[in-house]
């Protein structure tokens, strides 16, 4: 190490072994040494040299929105607000505040009110851009004082957020107002800085804030001000709105981005001679217009077109859409509902009417050149099949947002497994084809049990629904909401109870007539408040095939039994409409075992990897494109996480359903890579399933068309590679298996393959590390790494001979005489290598461990090149080799003994306080080991999981350092109820914990 003195009592020292600068403080006078030292290190790291070790939460940084990287201004604001405690305060100054932005902070503001944190919000009236609804929301919080800068001659343009702790102020200064687009969507830049109380930057900013707060042009937010401002806001807003009838009606309809891509693919299908094709397109993305645009582009032009739907209202709307696109090229008519325009060249009808035998008989089989079936996932019904079987069009187009079905009908087979185009919810959001949504998971309370709908219970439920509706608000001139219930009695009772609370609501259930449905939808959409509805309360009636573009609030008062139905119901509010910027989704989350369907639906990831679902829960939707956000209150978050952790996604029934969906789509037995490509359940669920262990065994049991047989040794090899290696946590074993599939090999050939793979992934490992990895991989494949139980369960794949030759075992050589076995082994190997590239391609330091990924104790032993799998001996920590392991369960189970309830905790994303086992004082072996730690050759690795329900895997959070002088001895309760010494060690992480993981672990 090389060192030098710095001014004012600070030293800097360069640690050449770790490649970092370390800052230390020489205490003098009455300065607060640790605080001052941490701040100097943080400022130096952010502004001088990023190699300086420092607390990440004090380091100056840029805060911006990037859903690809999973970062947003919103997540930083939430992180800062989360840290405030009783006695702390926050100050906001923003030019504009809209309900779309404020709603995203409501759950945090609720917590701050409960914790006794006070706040001040300063905003303005410039251009009447701020929304009265947002002012109403702010006035609901007694702990928040809001003032309005209301100058006629100048506008307030400042955007800063202050978070004031005792002696410390964190500030976010930049471009972000309190709007949904600014907090998560726009290309915003903000500088985050921290300061002690004597820092000039924050002091100057605070003084500027105080001057604005007390300026003569600034007034308090009161009922009187709000009434006056609302009048002005409505007057200015009416001037900006362009009436729909003023828009040009003769403009040519051009395809949007999704439609352009889909049209190209549909043309390719026809050019290839395909008579049928399926389009999978999220609700609200313009499927009807797409169909009309494809008719327009088809050559030769279809003479007659048939559009089949399941509701008369949709048929009439589709007719108008086709008229806009095709103009006078066609004549247009309806068939059904009192209409019989059979001579129209573009005919729109309901399936119920057309499927009647006497009606079908009016049309010859070749009456239509182009037929479109909307909501085609319904086509398994006999009524649809009669229509499809009757006609022989030149081209048949099926359209659906959710083609997955749980019955035996194969929609994909009906279309010859030709999917011309697919865009799901995530793609629709990314391409701005639907409005963004804000999902709020709130704890379900006072929910009546099935069959016990007493008036008092229903009244409590209605009061909570209305309370949450008013809290989170809506976009538009008035609320236009859909409420989904779990039963008919509940829907009827809830609608009545909402009426008693002053809201206009009506229930629609399965027995409601078409006229009643039509009337309710018209009343919900109408602008005239006289006779209008605020809410339609329903039971699955509006899951699909309903177009109410102005819906601005969707409330779910039922368990999420199906991710498909969740997306269908969410889709009712996603259609773009001039009246709204977004739709709010309020989901009452009960304590249900299938709550895991919520993140599955929101994320659109059907691989059912638990880590993916946890990641969504921790990130609050930062990875979802655009301004869309996902938030849960504390209780609902824990309920969903508990459901994820307890779910057994490896059960046969679950895997079988996922396999069935993919099998239908492809029309053949899927490959392992097909599961990844099409987003179905991960093959790793098959590998982990008890009684399976590999894809071959699954297919042998559950695929009628699979007739491959292998002997016991071959099955053993497939199970070994599938269960032990295919997760892809390290590539070296897989690379060696790949070589062995070709024949015996050598250590040198093995080395070249590993080094070539590292270069390909941009990984730079030292020759010594590669050698250790090669030796470790050999121990894994010859099974000497494992215990006796594993050695009895599997067959060795290879052995190392003299001269560096790596020879296949006799059993493997015999097994490889079967070409199909070789193909399947290669398929598993390549699947694992691709997983490694996608998920584990950026290891930290010289190990193969990747920060942020999850590993078991056995994984750590293997990836750190231990001689043996000693995971059973790693009870919390191990100092056996130069790679020290620290495994922590952050939240201890309530029933565990006080003697092992260690209070390990994060102080910040870069500081972790760890406690040893009991009876380890400063004179213990562990203490001596810690004091002799040599960072030039030794590393301390931290692995943390939230609780035991997550299973054996822990997040790898990287390496840590510590100052031996900071080790202290404390007393803690031992197994006998007495006191015993325990070591306390404050560690500094070499890389701070990612925000979403930190929040997940510590919440």
């Amino acid at each position: 190490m090389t060192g030098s003195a710095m001014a004012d009592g600070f030293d800097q020292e360069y640690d050449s072994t770790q490649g970092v600068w370390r800052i230390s403080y020489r205490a003098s006078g009455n300065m607060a040494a640790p605080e001052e030292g941490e701040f100097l290190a943080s400022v130096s790291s952010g502004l001088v040299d990023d190699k300086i070790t420092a607390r990440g939460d004090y380091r100056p940084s840029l805060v911006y929105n990037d859903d690809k990287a999973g970062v947003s201004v919103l997540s930083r604001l939430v992180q800062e607000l989360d840290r405030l405690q009783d006695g702390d305060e926050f100050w906001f100054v923003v030019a504009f505040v809209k309900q779309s932005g404020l709603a995203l902070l409501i759950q945090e503001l609720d917590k701050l009110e409960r914790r006794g944190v006070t706040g001040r919000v300063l905003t303005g009236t410039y251009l009447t851009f701020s929304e009265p609804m947002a002012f109403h929301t702010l006035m609901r919080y007694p702990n928040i004082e809001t003032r309005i800068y209301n100058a006629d001659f100048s506008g307030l343009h400042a955007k800063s957020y202050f978070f004031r702790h005792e002696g410390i102020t964190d500030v976010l200064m930049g471009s972000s107002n309190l709007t949904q687009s600014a907090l998560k969507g726009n290309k915003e830049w903000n500088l985050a800085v921290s300061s002690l109380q004597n820092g000039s930057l924050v002091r100057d900013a605070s003084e500027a804030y105080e001057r604005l707060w007390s300026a003569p042009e600034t007034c308090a937010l009161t009922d009187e001000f709000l009434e006056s401002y609302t009048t002005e806001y409505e007057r200015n807003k009416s001037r900006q709105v362009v009436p729909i009838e003023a828009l040009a009606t003769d403009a040519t309809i051009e395809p949007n981005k999704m439609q352009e891509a889909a049209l190209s693919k549909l043309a390719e299908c026809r050019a290839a001679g395909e008579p049928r094709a399926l389009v999978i397109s999220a609700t609200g993305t313009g499927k009807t217009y797409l169909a009309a645009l494809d008719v327009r582009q088809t050559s030769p032009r279809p003479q007659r077109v048939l559009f089949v739907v399941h509701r008369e209202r949709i048929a009439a709307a589709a007719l108008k859409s086709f008229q806009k696109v095709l103009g006078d090229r066609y004549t247009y008519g309806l068939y059904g509902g009192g209409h019989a325009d059979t001579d129209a060249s573009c005919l729109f009808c309901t399936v119920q009417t057309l499927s009647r035998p006497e009606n079908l008989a009016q049309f010859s089989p070749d009456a239509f050149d182009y037929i479109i079936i909307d909501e085609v996932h319904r086509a398994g019904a006999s009524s649809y099949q009669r229509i499809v079987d009757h006609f022989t069009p030149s081209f048949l187009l099926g359209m659906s947002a959710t083609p997955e079905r749980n019955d035996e009908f194969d929609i994909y087979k009906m279309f010859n497994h030709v999917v011309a185009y697919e865009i799901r919810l995530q793609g629709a959001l990314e391409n701005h084809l639907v409005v963004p949504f804000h999902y709020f998971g709130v704890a379900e309370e006072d929910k009546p049990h099935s069959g016990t709908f007493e008036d008092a219970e229903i009244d409590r439920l209605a009061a909570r629904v209305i309370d949450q509706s008013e809290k989170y608000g809506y976009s538009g001139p008035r609320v236009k909401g859909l409420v989904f219930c779990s039963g008919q009695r509940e829907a009827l009772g809830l609608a009545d109870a909402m009426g008693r609370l002053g809201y206009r609501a009506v229930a629609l259930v399965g027995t409601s007539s078409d006229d009643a449905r039509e009337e309710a939808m018209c009343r919900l959409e109408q602008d005239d408040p006289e006779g209008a509805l605020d809410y339609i309360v329903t039971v699955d009636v509006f899951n699909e095939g309903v177009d109410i573009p102005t819906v601005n609030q969707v409330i779910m008062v039922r368990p999420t039994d199906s991710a498909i139905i969740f997306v269908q119901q969410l889709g009712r509010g996603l259609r773009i409409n001039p009246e709204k910027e977004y739709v709010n989704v309020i989901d009452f989350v009960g304590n249900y075992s299938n709550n895991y369907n919520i993140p599955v639906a929101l994320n659109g990831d059907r691989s059912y990897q638990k880590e993916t679902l946890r990641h969504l829960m921790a990130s609050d939707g930062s990875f979802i494109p655009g301004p869309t956000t996902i938030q849960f209150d504390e209780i609902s978050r824990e309920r969903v996480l508990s459901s994820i952790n307890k779910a057994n996604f490896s059960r046969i029934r679950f895997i079988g359903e996922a396999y069935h969906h993919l099998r239908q789509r492809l029309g053949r037995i899927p490959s392992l890579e097909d599961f990844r490509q099409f987003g179905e359940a991960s093959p790793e669920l098959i590998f982990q399933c008890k009684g399976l262990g590999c894809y071959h065994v699954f297919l042998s049991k559950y695929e009628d068309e699979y007739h491959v047989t292998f002997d016991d040794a071959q099955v053993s090899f497939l199970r070994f590679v599938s269960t032990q290696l295919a997760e892809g946590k390290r590539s070296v074993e897989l690379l060696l298996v790949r070589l062995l599939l070709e024949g015996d090999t050598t250590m040198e050939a093995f080395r070249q393959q590993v080094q070539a793979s590292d270069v390909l992934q941009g990984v730079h490992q030292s020759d010594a590390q590669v050698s250790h990895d090669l030796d470790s991989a050999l121990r894994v494949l010859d099974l000497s790494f494992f215990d006796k139980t594993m050695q009895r369960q599997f067959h060795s794949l290879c052995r190392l001979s003299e001269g560096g030759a790596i020879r296949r075992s006799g059993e493997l050589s015999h097994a490889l005489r079967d070409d199909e076995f070789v193909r399947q082994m290669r398929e598993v190997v390549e699947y694992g290598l691709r997983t490694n590239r996608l998920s584990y391609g950026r290891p930290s330091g010289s190990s193969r461990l990747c920060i942020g990924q999850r590993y078991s104790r056995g994984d750590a032993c293997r990836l750190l090149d231990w001689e043996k799998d000693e995971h059973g001996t790693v009870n919390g920590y191990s100092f056996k080799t130069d790679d020290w392991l620290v495994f922590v369960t952050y939240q201890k189970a309530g029933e565990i003994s006080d003697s092992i309830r260690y209070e390990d905790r994060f102080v910040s994303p870069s500081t972790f306080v760890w406690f040893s086992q009991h009876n380890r004082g400063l004179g213990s072996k562990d203490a001596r080991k810690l004091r002799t730690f040599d960072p030039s050759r030794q590393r301390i690795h931290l692995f943390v999981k939230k609780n035991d329900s997550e299973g054996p895997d822990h997040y790898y959070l990287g390496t840590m350092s510590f100052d031996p002088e900071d080790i202290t001895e404390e007393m803690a309760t031992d197994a006998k109820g007495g006191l015993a010494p325990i070591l306390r060690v404050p560690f500094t992480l070499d890389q701070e914990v990612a925000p979403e993981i930190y929040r997940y672990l510590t919440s």
Side-chain angles (χ1 to χ4, degrees):
M1 292 190 181
T2 58
S4 62
M6 301 178 68
D8 299 326
F10 294 95
D11 289 329
Q12 64 175 349
E13 188 173 32
Y14 184 70
D15 185 343
S16 58
T17 61
Q18 298 290 315
V20 297
W21 284 96
R22 303 190 187 280
I23 304 292
S24 59
Y25 175 74
R26 302 189 307 276
S28 61
N30 56 7
M31 294 175 66
E35 205 170 70
E36 301 270 1
E38 287 172 348
F39 265 86
L40 179 65
S42 295
V43 171
S44 300
S45 176
L47 303 180
V48 179
D49 189 340
D50 64 0
K51 294 185 177 64
I52 295 174
T53 301
R55 279 182 61 162
D57 48 341
Y58 295 152
R59 184 185 299 125
S61 60
L62 182 69
V63 179
Y64 55 98
N65 296 316
D66 184 349
D67 53 75
K68 302 296 184 186
V71 295
S72 66
V73 179
L74 174 63
S75 61
R76 182 57 178 260
L77 287 182
V78 169
Q79 176 185 331
E80 294 289 351
L81 291 171
D82 253 351
R83 297 171 57 193
L84 300 177
Q85 300 298 324
D86 187 13
D88 297 338
E89 59 181 344
F90 64 91
W91 296 356
F92 292 173
V93 54
V94 289
F96 310 131
V97 55
K98 299 184 74 172
Q99 183 66 18
S100 69
L102 197 59
L104 308 185
L105 297 176
I106 281 179
Q107 292 185 349
E108 291 302 317
L109 297 181
D110 287 348
K111 289 189 284 187
L112 295 176
E113 181 183 6
R114 292 195 296 269
R115 292 203 296 258
V117 175
T118 58
R120 298 202 291 183
V121 175
L122 177 60
T123 187
T125 60
Y126 186 60
L127 298 179
T128 57
F129 194 81
S130 292
E131 289 182 338
M133 188 186 299
F135 289 158
H136 274 293
T137 299
L138 285 169
M139 291 177 71
R140 291 208 305 265
Y141 290 93
N143 60 317
I144 299 176
E145 183 180 0
T146 303
R147 292 179 67 80
I148 310 296
Y149 185 79
N150 193 24
D152 294 331
F153 52 85
S154 65
L156 176 66
H157 287 268
K159 297 103 178 172
S160 294
Y161 301 83
F162 297 73
F163 308 91
R164 301 168 66 86
H165 313 262
E166 184 178 356
I168 302 172
T169 299
D170 301 317
V171 186
L172 201 66
M173 295 180 176
S175 63
S176 296
N177 280 301
L178 258 177
T179 68
Q180 65 171 9
S181 296
L183 298 187
K184 190 183 178 295
N186 289 347
K187 300 301 180 186
E188 305 276 339
W189 280 14
N190 300 275
L191 180 64
V193 295
S194 298
S195 173
L196 300 183
Q197 57 189 356
N198 293 325
S200 63
L201 174 63
V202 170
R203 183 183 64 226
D204 292 346
S206 299
E207 291 173 355
Y209 187 98
E210 291 286 7
R211 286 194 296 272
L212 274 175
W213 185 263
S214 304
E217 302 84 5
T218 303
C219 65
L221 176 59
T222 62
D223 291 333
E224 293 76 17
F225 170 86
L226 184 53
E227 182 178 357
S228 172
Y229 179 77
T230 300
T231 301
E232 181 69 13
Y233 175 86
E234 294 296 342
R235 180 165 57 246
N236 289 343
K237 184 179 178 183
S238 66
R239 294 172 186 160
Q240 299 168 5
V241 175
V242 179
I244 293 176
E245 51 271 18
L247 298 175
T249 58
D250 57 352
T252 301
I253 302 293
E254 297 298 335
N256 62 34
K257 187 175 181 180
M258 178 279 290
Q259 291 162 346
E260 285 182 351
L263 289 170
S264 176
K265 293 296 184 182
L266 285 167
E268 289 178 13
C269 288
R270 283 190 293 272
E274 296 291 349
R276 300 180 176 190
L278 180 63
V279 168
I280 303 170
S281 182
T283 300
T285 51
K287 293 189 292 294
T288 304
Y289 277 112
L290 169 65
L293 289 164
D294 193 47
V295 169
R296 190 173 77 183
Q297 79 164 355
T298 300
S299 180
R301 191 179 80 185
Q303 297 302 304
R304 297 202 69 192
V305 178
L306 176 66
F307 196 101
V308 182
V309 298
H310 72 287
R311 290 286 177 201
E312 292 176 5
R313 176 187 173 99
I314 303 302
L319 184 152
K320 293 178 181 179
S321 297
F322 268 64
Q323 272 185 316
K324 290 179 182 178
V325 174
L326 301 177
D328 58 6
R329 294 180 180 90
Y330 292 87
T331 59
Y332 306 89
L334 295 170
Y335 188 68
H339 300 274
D341 306 322
T342 56
D343 293 332
S345 53
C346 261
L347 188 61
F348 300 81
C349 65
T350 63
V351 65
Q352 296 89 343
T353 299
L354 185 60
S355 64
R356 294 171 189 158
E358 64 273 19
N359 292 339
L360 274 177
Q362 296 185 41
F363 300 93
S364 65
D366 60 355
F368 298 99
D369 306 294
Y370 194 127
I371 295 179
I372 303 109
I373 300 180
D374 194 24
E375 306 292 356
V376 75
H377 54 274
R378 297 169 171 265
S382 59
S383 54
Y384 283 87
Q385 288 303 299
R386 281 196 298 273
I387 295 172
V388 173
D389 291 342
H390 178 79
F391 291 108
T392 57
S394 297
F395 193 70
L396 176 66
L397 175 65
M399 302 188 300
S400 176
T402 52
E404 294 81 11
R405 297 174 57 86
N406 291 323
D407 60 19
E408 292 303 312
F409 185 76
D410 191 341
I411 290 292
Y412 296 102
K413 184 178 180 181
M414 176 178 165
F415 287 89
N416 303 323
H417 305 283
V418 176
V419 179
Y421 188 76
E422 178 175 2
I423 184 167
R424 301 280 184 164
L425 177 57
Q426 305 300 310
L429 290 167
E430 186 172 1
N431 289 287
H432 309 290
L433 301 176
V434 295
V435 297
F437 67 86
H438 301 307
Y439 170 92
F440 302 99
V442 299
E444 178 184 87
E445 298 175 3
D446 298 326
K447 180 80 159 62
H449 297 291
S450 178
T452 59
F453 295 97
E454 301 295 333
D455 287 345
E457 293 176 319
I458 284 291
D459 286 344
R460 283 197 298 271
L461 176 60
R464 177 141 172 82
V465 167
I466 293 302
D467 175 69
Q468 297 301 299
S469 169
E470 292 178 344
K471 174 188 287 190
Y472 293 108
Y474 49 86
S475 175
R478 66 176 184 85
V479 65
K480 297 182 180 182
L482 294 180
V483 183
F484 290 96
C485 295
S486 55
Q488 179 170 316
R489 292 183 63 194
E490 180 183 53
L492 294 168
L494 185 58
D496 287 343
M498 293 171 75
R500 291 193 291 273
L501 292 172
Y503 283 82
R504 300 164 296 187
V506 66
L508 293 179
V509 296
T511 57
S512 300
S513 68
D514 286 347
D515 288 343
R517 299 181 189 193
E518 185 69 23
E519 179 190 4
M521 288 188 285
C522 289
R523 291 176 62 194
L524 188 71
E525 284 211 285
Q526 70 182 48
D527 294 326
D528 185 358
E530 183 68 29
L533 283 178
D534 300 312
Y535 293 98
I536 294 176
V537 186
T538 182
V539 185
D540 293 337
V541 171
F542 284 178
N543 287 2
E544 57 189 358
V546 175
D547 188 7
I548 314 177
T550 57
V551 165
N552 53 24
Q553 199 178 74
V554 176
I555 300 178
M556 300 178 178
V557 193
R558 83 290 176 273
T560 303
D561 294 321
S562 163
I564 295 172
I565 293 176
F566 182 103
V567 172
Q568 289 174 339
Q569 294 177 346
L570 168 64
R572 298 311 102 207
L574 293 180
R575 195 169 296 279
I576 292 174
N577 185 268
E579 281 194 9
K580 67 187 184 186
E581 291 182 70
Y582 59 92
V583 61
N584 276 351
V585 182
I586 305 170
D587 188 3
F588 288 83
V589 181
N591 196 20
Y592 304 116
S593 61
N594 51 9
N595 280 334
Y596 59 78
N597 279 313
I598 297 173
V600 169
L602 292 170
N603 194 40
D605 186 318
R606 303 188 305 277
S607 68
Y608 290 90
Q609 295 278 45
K610 289 190 175 185
E611 181 49 32
T612 301
L613 302 181
R614 291 191 195 104
H615 190 65
L616 178 82
M617 298 299 298
S619 67
D620 282 340
S622 294
F623 287 88
I624 292 181
T628 290
T629 59
I630 297 169
Q631 299 187 47
F632 294 85
D633 65 19
E634 296 102 315
I635 297 174
S636 64
R637 182 187 301 274
E638 288 307 312
R639 285 174 174 173
V640 176
L641 286 170
S642 175
S643 170
I644 293 170
N645 292 335
K646 292 177 181 178
N648 179 13
F649 295 138
S650 292
R651 64 184 186 272
I652 288 294
R653 179 181 175 185
F654 182 88
I655 295 170
E657 289 177 358
Y659 174 83
H660 181 69
H661 289 154
L662 186 55
R663 178 71 163 85
Q664 283 191 340
R665 171 162 187 158
L666 298 175
R668 57 172 171 79
I669 295 174
S671 69
L672 295 180
E673 199 57 37
D674 285 333
F675 284 89
R676 190 188 336 253
Q677 179 181 346
F678 293 100
E680 286 295 348
S682 168
E684 291 162 42
L685 302 180
I686 297 174
F687 304 158
Q688 297 159 6
C689 182
K690 186 178 181 181
L692 296 182
C694 67
Y695 194 32
H696 160 76
V697 175
F698 171 80
L699 292 175
S700 298
K701 291 184 176 182
Y702 301 104
E703 173 55 67
D704 293 338
E705 295 183 17
Y706 184 77
H707 306 296
V708 175
T709 58
F710 292 138
D711 62 30
D712 290 345
Q714 290 170 319
V715 173
S716 173
F717 288 128
L718 283 169
R719 279 177 164 159
F720 177 80
V721 177
S722 298
T723 59
Q724 304 301 311
L725 309 179
E727 281 186 310
K729 292 181 178 178
R730 187 169 70 171
S731 65
V732 288
E733 293 91 349
L734 292 161
L735 292 170
L736 180 51
V737 175
R738 177 197 270 174
L739 285 172
L740 292 171
L741 294 179
E742 303 299 328
D744 292 344
T745 186
T746 64
M747 286 294 287
E748 183 56 32
F750 184 19
R751 179 185 302 277
Q752 291 175 5
Q753 180 122 160
V754 171
Q755 290 174 329
S757 175
D758 285 348
V759 170
L760 193 65
Q761 297 182 62
V763 178
H764 301 285
Q765 300 283 353
S766 67
D767 290 342
Q769 181 62 43
V770 171
S771 294
H772 286 309
D773 286 347
L774 301 183
D775 292 340
S776 175
L778 280 169
R779 288 193 296 273
V780 170
L781 297 193
D782 72 13
L783 304 184
S784 61
F785 172 77
F786 299 103
D787 60 21
K788 297 295 185 184
T789 301
M790 286 285 288
Q791 291 173 7
R792 286 192 297 269
Q793 185 177 349
F794 297 111
H795 295 280
S796 169
L797 281 80
C798 64
R799 60 184 176 82
L800 182 63
S801 304
E802 294 182 6
I806 304 175
R807 303 197 182 281
R808 300 188 299 199
S809 66
E811 293 90 342
L812 181 60
S813 294
H814 184 269
L816 291 172
R817 295 175 184 173
D818 185 328
D819 290 342
E820 175 60 19
F821 172 74
V822 174
R823 187 198 68 77
Q824 291 200 27
M825 282 285 283
R826 184 171 286 117
E827 182 182 29
V828 179
V829 167
E830 297 306 322
Y831 175 85
L833 287 170
R834 180 163 175 76
T835 301
N836 176 263
R837 290 192 296 272
L838 292 173
S839 302
Y840 300 93
R842 295 188 177 276
S844 170
S846 58
S847 75
R848 297 280 177 176
L849 296 164
C850 297
I851 292 177
Q853 295 292 356
R854 292 170 66 88
Y855 301 92
S856 66
R857 289 172 169 82
D859 293 330
C861 296
R862 178 167 65 92
L863 271 65
L864 292 170
D865 302 328
W866 284 25
E867 292 283 339
K868 295 281 187 181
D869 179 2
E870 300 184 41
H871 70 269
T873 66
V874 183
N875 296 317
Y877 57 94
S878 173
F879 301 154
K880 290 184 178 180
T881 70
D882 285 345
D883 282 297
W884 293 6
L885 308 181
V886 175
F887 279 83
V888 172
T889 301
Y890 202 77
Q891 293 181 353
K892 310 300 190 291
E895 65 273 11
I896 71 169
S897 167
D898 287 342
S899 63
I900 55 174
R901 187 182 294 280
Y902 313 118
E903 297 301 325
D904 309 303
R905 66 183 183 276
F906 284 102
V907 176
S908 75
S910 56
T911 304
F912 186 76
V913 175
W914 173 81
F915 290 89
S916 70
Q917 296 174 358
H918 284 75
N919 293 308
R920 306 294 197 275
L922 289 174
S924 67
K925 179 180 178 181
D926 285 353
R928 293 194 298 273
K929 190 84 171 176
L930 286 165
R931 283 195 292 267
T932 60
F933 177 74
D934 182 358
S936 67
R937 63 180 181 82
Q938 293 174 308
R939 298 171 295 186
I940 308 175
H941 302 271
L942 177 63
F943 301 82
V944 182
K945 66 178 178 180
K946 186 166 186 175
N947 52 52
D948 285 330
S949 68
E950 294 182 1
D953 287 354
H954 296 61
Y955 285 105
Y956 176 60
L957 302 181
T959 53
M960 307 183 293
S961 60
F962 68 100
D963 186 341
E965 297 299 319
D966 292 336
I967 301 174
T968 57
E969 178 183 308
E970 298 186 3
M971 302 301 290
T973 305
D974 62 17
K976 297 180 180 180
L979 294 178
I982 190 171
L983 296 174
R984 178 186 184 276
V985 184
F987 285 111
T988 299
L989 278 76
D990 294 327
Q991 181 173 322
E992 66 184 74
V993 183
E996 66 273 9
I997 296 177
Y998 183 80
R999 186 179 182 195
Y1000 169 67
L1001 292 172
T1002 59
S1003 64

